[in-house]
Amino acid sequence: MIIMKDVYKTYPNGVTALNGISVDINQGEFVYIVGPSGAGKSTFVKLMYREVEPTRGQLMINNMDLSDLKEKNVPHFRREIGVIFQDFKLLSKLSVYENIAFALEVIEESPKNIRKRVMDVLDLVGLKNKARFLPDELSGGEQQRVSIARAIVNHPKIVIADEPTGNLDPETSWEIMKVFEEINARGTTILMATHSKEIVNSIKKRVIAIEDGLIVRDQHRGEYGYES
Ligand code: ADP
Ligand code: ADP
């Protein structure tokens, strides 16, 4: 599913963010990525949706070798990955419905299919009655639900979330975590970079800790392991 062998990432300014990472993640796993600020967590997750490319090393995702993925195959690759950000990244002038449908329209689904799939996914995140709202008219938790709906509408095999609860209050964060658990229960692999000690220590999953660009800990049902 995800195989990394000795992956390095050095940015053009000379900063080495990843220093030889090797890891295997199987289909259906739920993995937290933890570690101090600047450790390389974002770089690690950005490799997974090809926002950054490795400087060296091998990276296989969904049986595609990212080390020599051709530019023309990038859209196909990205269709199998859903990405969720701390700041939602919704299009502010489009309705909830349109924000999600957009992801399908670009792959030329029929209007009937689009409608069905958007409404199904809004149902899953509990926002069917807000399809016509604009993002600004929703709470932070609701906006994050929309971004989750958008990320999964193409039925990706992997969902990547970079600090998805970072802008949310604790109660809303728990609700969002329930949505991720539901998506995971349906077989989707989840990779989540997080600073939430409470979440990691309560909803036990695999924990990969990164420090100075290296994996320093990889535990089944692990602990957060830092003070905050
Ligand atoms: P984390 O997500 O754990 O805070 P990052 O992956 O964002 O860590 O950053 C790891 C290191 O790489 C840091 O030193 C950071 O300053 C540097 N870095 C991140 N993105 C870039 C970039 N686009 N250009 C140069 N350096 C970067
Ligand atoms: P670039 O390759 O220059 O990053 P893209 O058009 O691919 O340009 O990406 C535009 C924005 O969409 C970026 O902020 C990127 O982080 C985000 N993005 C890239 N891939 C995905 C994806 N599969 N799902 C959601 N957002 C994505």
Side-chain angles (χ1 to χ4, degrees), residues 46 49-51 71 74 77-85 89 150-151:
K46 282 176 180 167
Y49 58 95
R50 208 181 171 82
E51 175 72 17
E71 216 38 56
V74 169
F77 165 74
R78 285 210 174 127
R79 234 167 273 150
E80 301 204 10
I81 314 277
V83 188
I84 293 153
F85 304 95
K89 295 200 194 297
R150 177 185 58 185

Side-chain angles (χ1 to χ4, degrees), residues 37 46 53 65 86 137 147 151 159 167 177 194 210 214 222:
S37 285
K46 282 176 180 167
E53 288 180 52
D65 188 344
Q86 178 170 0
E137 299 169 324
S147 97
V159 165
N167 283 350
M177 287 306 295
T194 184
I210 298 180
L214 285 168

Side-chain angles (χ1 to χ4, degrees), residues 201-220:
N201 288 347
S202 306
I203 306 174
K204 292 289 184 112
K205 305 289 180 190
R206 179 174 175 184
V207 175
I208 294 177
I210 298 180
E211 292 178 22
D212 292 330
L214 285 168
I215 293 180
V216 294
R217 177 159 59 93
D218 185 351
Q219 295 172 300
H220 180 64

Side-chain angles (χ1 to χ4, degrees), residues 11-13 15-17 35-44 46 162 195:
Y11 285 107
N13 66 354
V15 172
T16 295
S37 285
K41 301 181 297 297
S42 287
T43 303
F44 180 84
K46 282 176 180 167
D162 197 352
H195 278 117

Side-chain angles (χ1 to χ4, degrees), residues 44-205:
F44 180 84
V45 300
K46 282 176 180 167
L47 283 173
M48 307 283 178
Y49 58 95
R50 208 181 171 82
E51 175 72 17
V52 309
E53 288 180 52
T55 310
R56 110 178 135 83
Q58 228 199 341
L59 176 53
M60 294 276 299
I61 299 181
N62 291 334
N63 295 317
M64 281 183 260
D65 188 344
L66 290 215
S67 333
D68 63 15
L69 187 70
K70 298 208 170 55
E71 216 38 56
K72 69 173 165 66
N73 293 327
V74 169
H76 173 248
F77 165 74
R78 285 210 174 127
R79 234 167 273 150
E80 301 204 10
I81 314 277
V83 188
I84 293 153
F85 304 95
Q86 178 170 0
D87 59 356
F88 322 134
K89 295 200 194 297
L90 299 173
L91 298 167
S92 62
K93 293 194 168 64
L94 298 187
S95 70
V96 164
Y97 182 94
E98 290 161 342
N99 262 282
I100 300 165
F102 193 68
L104 293 170
E105 277 157 5
V106 297
I107 63 167
E108 294 170 7
E109 278 276 357
S110 74
K112 190 167 160 251
N113 262 343
I114 290 176
R115 180 160 182 85
K116 164 132 183 45
R117 288 173 66 175
V118 173
M119 292 320 281
D120 281 354
V121 86
L122 276 175
D123 197 21
L124 175 71
V125 300
L127 282 179
K128 234 176 164 170
N129 57 344
K130 304 237 161 135
R132 298 289 157 199
F133 283 52
L134 290 171
D136 279 355
E137 299 169 324
L138 303 179
S139 70
E142 288 171 332
Q143 290 184 55
Q144 193 57 299
R145 285 169 190 270
V146 176
S147 97
I148 294 171
R150 177 185 58 185
I152 62 173
V153 72
N154 276 324
H155 302 297
K157 294 196 181 82
I158 305 175
V159 165
I160 316 268
D162 197 352
E163 299 278 357
T165 62
N167 283 350
L168 306 176
D169 59 58
E171 196 184 316
T172 308
S173 300
W174 293 117
E175 287 165 11
I176 291 296
M177 287 306 295
K178 278 191 214 135
V179 179
F180 279 110
E181 287 198 278
E182 172 65 27
I183 295 166
N184 180 239
R186 295 172 180 218
T188 311
T189 307
I190 307 227
L191 240 66
M192 183 181 295
T194 184
H195 278 117
S196 175
K197 181 183 176 182
E198 294 73 25
I199 287 173
V200 174
N201 288 347
S202 306
I203 306 174
K204 292 289 184 112
K205 305 289 180 190

